[in-house]
Amino acid sequence: MATASIPSIYLWLVIIFPFVGALVTPLLSRLGGRVRDYAAVGFSGLSALFAFLLLIPVLQGETISVYNSVIPTSVPWISELGINMGVLYDPFTIIIVNVVTSIALLIMVYSLDYMR
């Protein structure tokens, strides 16, 4: 089996886009309700897109490696105590992330018309 190398930024973007969307969409309400609504769906869609990009090597049967590390990426969280935050994943986790982001995207698209 070939080893697929996935950029570690993809892992973080799946997590970061919903939080950025939650902070940005209230600010967009001044531009109009539809702009705000489509931006919220857009952030959810970007998260689902990067989750799907993580899924492609899994569906091709490749083993997953991000820089040959058990914990692909970690960032300092509480540096005074030496505590880091990291993302650990495997093929099962990627499948579950895709299920969650796909359902979240469908809910966001459904809410565009429902909340009107």
Side-chain angles (χ1 to χ4, degrees), residues 36-108:
R36 178 199 62 208
D37 297 344
Y38 287 121
V41 173
F43 282 110
S44 182
L46 286 172
S47 181
L49 172 71
F50 282 102
F52 180 72
L53 291 176
L54 293 173
L55 182 66
I56 292 172
V58 173
L59 294 177
Q60 292 175 344
E62 298 175 354
T63 57
I64 300 168
S65 170
V66 176
Y67 308 117
N68 297 322
S69 175
V70 175
I71 299 177
T73 58
S74 64
V75 293
W77 185 32
I78 304 174
S79 57
E80 292 82 20
L81 299 176
I83 298 174
N84 295 334
M85 179 176 67
V87 178
L88 179 66
Y89 75 102
D90 59 0
F92 178 71
T93 306
I94 291 175
I95 292 170
I96 296 300
V97 164
N98 274 278
V99 169
V100 170
T101 57
S102 299
I103 291 173
L105 179 61
L106 291 174
I107 290 170
M108 293 295 288

